Every structure is written in structure tokens, then in C-alpha cells.
Amino acid sequence: MQDNQLSLRSLQTYFAQFIAGGAYFLYKYRNDRGHFLGLATWLMFSVGVVKYTERWLALQSGKLSSIRESLMMQPPLMINIHSHREDVKLKKVEGDLETLDEESIVRRAHSLFYICKSGMVGCSDDVPRKQEFMEKMQDVEWWTVVEIELSLMYDILYTKAAVIYTWHGYAIRVISPLAILTSLLLFIFREEDGQGAFDTATTYVLFVGALFMDLISLLNTLGSSWMYAYLSTTRIPWLRYTFLCSGRWDRLRHLVLSLNSFVTFGGSRSGARRWSGHIGQYNMLHFCTRPDTLLTRPLLGRLANLLNLELLWNRKHFSGATKISDPIKFYITEYAKLLYMEGRFTLGTDETKWGMTALQHHQVVYDFEGTLGDEFQEGIIIWHIGTDFFLSKCRSSNGQVLLVSAVKALSNYMMFLLVERPSVLPIIVKRMLYERACKALHQGMGRYHPTGICDMLHSLFS
């Protein structure tokens, strides 16, 4: 994200070092050993100029402001996913519920991707009508669609997807290997210049490697699911008919997926765009109530203390990860569906005080009034510790074990983000608030009753 914001600095470096410096170097050390060699050199240099220009454009397009402008200038089109391929339904192993296959889900995600982009940049005007949205989500697991949407968003922010999957991006992918092949032929038919055998062999290796990489890039680009989205929304009818309606692109897509599976030694083709499913875990009470003496610390902890790296050691040592469970996916998905159906689901920032929905449901808003903190990070800390106290005191039945584990995992995950990944939170995290809460909990944990934990924490921040 920082690279995207500094795209102008990258443009300055690009012109100063690559264009000016590279062109001057080629001019300074030009030779009179033949017209073919000079032409091949400048042809390869031109390919490099185009590739680096594309890289800068990708950085520019990955900025949130650029994504917002693109949504405003070109209203997104809903893709008619039933026009070119019948959805393939598969039965789940654990039940009779039929769901769509991976390819159909990816195409559904592409058709709704503009909603993800709108939510990312705070534009909520393009949300589809409820009936239209629910039709798109039939036979689809919402959690799976979200995973794929995040994968597509990653492509926009951190790869060249924003510029590759355009008409000029496809043109570059087609012309580049042709230019490299032409340059290779010019080098082969150059005049004899007395070049050493080792230098000649090295040049051939570089040519073949560049040509192979560009051909692989062309094949992956044409067979990517992004290509399907481009063809589905193109304003050129014959192009859509030639590749989609005739089934040619589907066959190319199948070939690319098969080759990728072969290259990965038989890796599964399904779930290629899925999230790994691991979330970080950090429990504040576990950290604050640990025995903190030199004798009880691990050897690496003592070494970190000697090197003045105790804070880093504490964050890493007391952090962990867990596989997100199916109950967590189920509860989050069902809650999102409920909010959407009730018209309370928004893409923008929710102005409601965090936790108020649950408190209103249980009619205990006044019991916690003024104790939930005024800042987002205060809310995370207070709810995290309050959740731990509540779960330790309540006795859950067998039917609630899964719910308890889901709540605890999400609570620890929010604290993990606050402590270990504060940059992904929509706030500027003040480390002082966290350190103050840790100090107070470490010194006076036994003096507070669990029911008064929110009042105690609120007093720390006031």
C-alpha cells in the first residue's frame, strides 16, 4: 500500500535511472559490429521500457483513490454468469446440500466484485437491489465468495491485475513475446563479431528464459478468470461471441488449470483462490497473569531482555495462530445474512457504538452506558477482557461449546490485530493505551470483581 502511495517517486526513479540511464548506456557503448545486433538491443530495451511503464501504472492503479475514481468514471457492469456456461452443482460430502463448483463460484465472485471494491473505498451507492443480490448468491456459500473476493482485491492492490486485464495489457502480453523472438532471430543472424563462446551462450540462455517467461505469462493471462470478466463486459460483441459463446475460452481455461495442476505436482485445482484459514491469536489476560521472573522466563526470553528486545519477544512469544473453524464461518455468515435481510448491512463505517447491537438485544444497554470507551482500540481491549471473564464464569452446555470457542477465537483475533497487526485496523493505534491496560491488569488483577471489569478498564483510559 505504501508503494502505491509513493508511485510518483517510483516514476521519478523510473525516468532518471532506467529510461535516461539505460538509453545513455546503450548509446555510449554502441558498437559498429552490425545493424542486426544494434536493432536487437534496442528492441529488447523497448520491451523493458514497456514492462516498467506497466509496473508504474499498476502502482498508480492500486491506490484507493484510483479505485474510487475508476468506480465513479465507469459504473461497474453486472456479469450475466448464466449466458456462457451452465453452473455445475456438486453435493457436499457431509450432506445433501448442493453447492456450485469452484469455477462457478469464482465467476459469481467476479460478477459481484465491484461491491467489494465499493466497500473498500467507501462508495456504497452501487450496492445492488436485495432481490438481485440474493439471486446471485443462490447455491453459494457466502464465506467462500468472501474468500475469493479478498483474493481478487489482493490482485488489484498488490499485483499488476489492474493494468494487465485491459485491452492494452493484453496487447502487451501478445506483442512482448513476438518482440523477444524477433530480437532473438536478429541476434542469431547477426554478423560475426568475434564474441566469446561463453558470452554468446549466456545471451542465448537469457533470450530463451525471457521468451519462455513471456509465453507462460501470456497463457496464464488468457486463461485467467479475469479474462472471463473482461470478455463478459466487453463492448465488442464479436469478441464475446468468438471466445465465450463458442466455448473456446472455457477450453483454454481448462487447459491452463490442468497445466498448473501438473506443475504443482498434482495439486488440487479447487480452492486456488481460497484463504489459508488461519487467524492470529493473542490473549491479553494470559500475557498479564504469566509468572514474570528471570527464573520462569525461557532462555530466549532472558536473552531478549539482555538485548533490550523484551517488547518484541513478548509480542511474538505470546502470539499464535489457529485454524478458523466451521462454526466461526457459520455464525459470521448467518449474522451477515441477518443484517442484510433487515436492511442494517452497510458497506461504509458503522456509526453505531461497537457492541451496542448485542447489548440492545439483551436489553442491558444502560448497565454498560459510558463504560465501553470512546476509541475503537478501547472497545477492543474492554470487550476482549470482558469476554474472557464472562466465558470463565459461565457454564456452557454441550450445545454452546462451539459458540464459546468461536467467540473466544474472534476475541483473541481482535487483540492480535491490535498488538501485532495495528496497521490493518481503520485507526491510528496508540500503544500507550494498551501498555497502560497491561500494567493495571498485571498489578491489580485480584482487586476487581469480574462484573466491574468494564468500569475498571474505562477508568484507565479516562
Side-chain angles (χ1 to χ4, degrees):
M1 295 294 289
Q2 285 77 10
D3 288 340
N4 296 341
Q5 296 297 328
L6 297 176
S7 58
L8 290 179
R9 180 182 296 182
S10 176
L11 180 63
Q12 178 185 2
T13 305
Y14 164 67
F15 274 107
Q17 296 183 1
F18 186 76
I19 300 297
Y24 174 76
F25 178 84
L26 293 180
Y27 173 78
K28 181 71 174 176
Y29 294 96
R30 68 188 185 281
N31 58 65
D32 300 325
R33 297 177 180 176
H35 180 68
F36 282 0
L37 184 60
L39 185 58
T41 301
W42 282 101
L43 189 58
M44 288 297 296
F45 179 74
S46 300
V47 172
V49 169
V50 173
K51 291 293 185 70
Y52 269 81
T53 303
E54 189 181 57
R55 178 182 180 275
W56 176 79
L57 289 176
L59 291 173
Q60 185 73 8
S61 302
K63 296 193 297 185
L64 297 183
S65 58
S66 299
I67 298 176
R68 186 181 298 108
E69 292 174 1
S70 66
L71 288 173
M72 296 175 61
M73 294 175 58
Q74 298 179 352
L77 300 174
M78 290 294 292
I79 300 175
N80 189 353
I81 60 176
H82 299 288
S83 297
H84 314 292
R85 176 181 184 267
E86 290 296 330
D87 289 331
V88 179
K89 293 185 178 181
L90 303 174
K91 283 191 175 182
K92 297 185 69 174
V93 177
E94 64 271 14
D96 295 331
L97 179 63
E98 290 186 344
T99 59
L100 299 181
D101 71 327
E102 185 76 12
E103 187 65 21
S104 299
I105 296 176
V106 169
R107 297 187 183 191
R108 291 279 180 101
H110 272 287
S111 69
L112 300 172
F113 181 52
Y114 73 93
I115 302 178
C116 179
K117 290 198 294 185
S118 299
M120 193 75 173
V121 299
C123 297
S124 57
D125 297 333
D126 298 323
V127 181
R129 296 186 300 272
K130 183 181 298 184
Q131 181 179 359
E132 184 181 21
F133 179 77
M134 295 304 294
E135 289 178 356
K136 291 287 183 181
M137 297 301 292
Q138 285 183 357
D139 304 318
V140 180
E141 293 182 350
W142 285 37
W143 185 275
T144 304
V145 174
V146 171
E147 288 182 345
I148 298 176
E149 295 279 3
L150 291 177
S151 174
L152 298 176
M153 199 69 210
Y154 178 89
D155 289 350
I156 294 294
L157 294 176
Y158 298 105
T159 73
K160 293 182 180 180
V163 294
I164 288 179
Y165 303 105
T166 57
W167 70 266
H168 50 80
Y170 293 119
I172 292 174
R173 292 299 170 284
V174 173
I175 295 174
S176 179
L178 295 177
I180 295 175
L181 180 60
T182 303
S183 182
L184 173 59
L185 294 176
L186 289 172
F187 182 77
I188 293 175
F189 294 107
R190 75 192 187 285
E191 294 83 354
E192 292 297 331
D193 53 2
Q195 191 177 24
F198 177 79
D199 292 337
T200 301
T202 302
T203 304
Y204 278 125
V205 170
L206 294 176
F207 265 122
V208 173
L211 182 60
F212 176 77
M213 286 168 46
D214 268 42
L215 289 176
I216 293 298
S217 176
L218 174 62
L219 187 62
N220 284 329
T221 300
L222 295 179
S224 171
S225 60
W226 285 98
M227 184 68 177
Y228 166 78
Y230 175 79
L231 293 173
S232 298
T233 56
T234 183
R235 302 180 187 276
I236 308 175
W238 67 265
L239 188 63
R240 185 187 304 111
Y241 175 80
T242 302
F243 289 97
L244 287 185
C245 298
S246 64
R248 290 188 179 94
W249 184 84
D250 285 325
R251 291 192 290 271
L252 176 61
R253 170 73 169 167
H254 178 75
L255 174 63
V256 171
L257 292 178
S258 300
L259 290 177
N260 287 336
S261 177
F262 175 76
V263 171
T264 56
F265 302 99
S268 175
R269 287 169 46 185
S270 63
R273 282 195 170 272
R274 301 293 187 86
W275 172 41
S276 64
H278 288 86
I279 56 176
Q281 297 284 281
Y282 182 88
N283 190 279
M284 194 174 182
L285 289 183
H286 173 63
F287 170 71
C288 294
T289 57
R290 74 197 189 284
D292 189 19
T293 63
L294 289 177
L295 295 178
T296 56
R297 289 183 186 176
L299 180 60
L300 290 179
R302 302 176 201 174
L303 180 60
N305 185 45
L306 294 176
L307 298 177
N308 200 24
L309 298 175
E310 187 175 7
L311 293 179
L312 177 62
W313 162 260
N314 288 336
R315 292 205 314 270
K316 299 298 182 182
H317 180 65
F318 291 95
S319 298
T322 185
K323 183 78 173 179
I324 193 166
S325 61
D326 289 335
I328 297 180
K329 298 178 183 180
F330 173 78
Y331 291 125
I332 293 179
T333 301
E334 291 302 312
Y335 185 68
K337 288 181 181 180
L338 177 64
L339 291 181
Y340 187 81
M341 296 304 297
E342 293 179 355
R344 294 188 288 126
F345 185 82
T346 59
L347 291 177
T349 303
D350 190 1
E351 299 296 333
T352 307
K353 181 77 71 173
W354 39 88
M356 279 298 175
T357 303
L359 297 180
Q360 291 171 355
H361 176 73
H362 293 284
Q363 300 179 353
V364 291
V365 175
Y366 294 105
D367 297 337
F368 292 89
E369 186 176 8
T371 64
L372 299 181
D374 297 323
E375 297 188 27
F376 183 64
Q377 55 188 322
E378 294 180 42
I380 292 178
I381 295 174
I382 291 173
W383 276 104
H384 171 72
I385 298 179
T387 299
D388 261 21
F389 271 105
F390 176 78
L391 294 181
S392 66
K393 293 297 180 181
C394 70
R395 294 183 178 179
S396 58
S397 61
N398 292 333
Q400 294 178 323
V401 173
L402 297 179
L403 179 60
V404 169
S405 63
V407 170
K408 191 172 184 63
L410 289 177
S411 177
N412 291 340
Y413 174 59
M414 291 303 299
M415 276 305 302
F416 173 82
L417 293 180
L418 181 66
V419 175
E420 195 64 25
R421 301 285 189 272
S423 60
V424 304
L425 295 177
I427 57 170
I428 298 178
V429 175
K430 299 176 183 177
R431 184 75 184 180
M432 176 187 62
L433 296 180
Y434 165 74
E435 293 175 352
R436 188 185 300 173
C438 284
K439 182 179 179 181
L441 288 173
H442 185 69
Q443 293 178 348
M445 179 66 69
R447 295 182 299 167
Y448 296 96
H449 192 270
T451 56
I453 190 67
C454 288
D455 292 325
M456 183 272 287
L457 292 175
H458 178 66
S459 66
L460 294 177
F461 304 123
S462 60

